[in-house]
Amino acid sequence: LRNAQRLSDLVGELFELSKLETEQVEPSVEPFPIAELVQDVVMQYRPQAEEKEVDLRAELPDRHARAEADIGLVERALSNLIDNAIHYTPEEGQVRVLVSNQGREVCVAVQDTGPGIPEDDLPHIFERFYRVDKSRDRDRGGAGLGLAIAKTILELHDRTLEVESTVGEGTTFRFRLPVETPVSESA
């Protein structure tokens, strides 16, 4: 039953990625409160983080920007990044989702205290089925589609998904979205 569910999940992710890559999905861009979306997604993943004894938190600015993007697609990308971070962060580790206003953009970063990604693997992590951990044990990693989906979603918005990683310290994935009206950090 578990293998059938994994196969079903894999087929669903492949179908989703295929639709995104062939641009069969047209982003429905509208302004939405990015901080609320981040808070909601963090709350959805809190039970998973607690089960793994990972401290998951959102760090939000005092004044919240309204991002202009497809809220459903951004939620999917953010979910993939948080799920990935929790999965690779060891017990008693931390996952932070940081939102910062940067003039005409809002920056969202998902930062973990996991094992980090070796420099040789960094150019490949957004490829379909690529996994840093080469073991066949699916309990230790997904199918290698989550980051490809997140990257493709951001590309549909003419945005990039950036990554910084240090082996033994952790990884940060970051993306920026345009805002409806610029909000300064200090205001």
Side-chain angles (χ1 to χ4, degrees), residues 2 22 46 61 64 113 165 176:
R2 189 175 63 228
T22 58
R46 192 151 284 143
H64 301 168
T113 58
S165 190
R176 292 170 178 76

Side-chain angles (χ1 to χ4, degrees), residues 119-156:
E119 197 171 323
D120 292 346
D121 289 308
L122 279 174
H124 306 287
I125 61 170
F126 297 114
E127 296 172 7
R128 287 178 178 217
F129 304 115
Y130 191 84
R131 298 175 60 206
V132 173
D133 177 1
K134 306 297 188 272
S135 77
R136 293 183 171 267
D137 182 2
R138 290 286 176 228
D139 292 333
R140 301 195 60 204
L145 294 172
L147 292 177
I149 289 170
K151 177 181 182 271
T152 304
I153 285 171
L154 289 159
E155 287 173 346
L156 283 174

Side-chain angles (χ1 to χ4, degrees), residues 21-43:
E21 287 179 341
T22 58
E23 297 183 6
Q24 292 178 24
V25 175
E26 182 71 32
S28 176
V29 176
E30 61 183 326
F32 65 92
I34 186 72
E36 285 180 28
L37 176 66
V38 166
Q39 193 67 36
D40 289 348
V41 176
V42 165
M43 293 299 285

Side-chain angles (χ1 to χ4, degrees), residues 22 47 62-64 79 104-105 115 130 143 147 154 163 172 176 184 186:
T22 58
D62 291 335
R63 299 201 48 202
H64 301 168
S79 293
R104 296 192 175 280
E105 296 180 319
Y130 191 84
L147 292 177
L154 289 159
V163 60
T172 300
R176 292 170 178 76
S184 68
S186 59

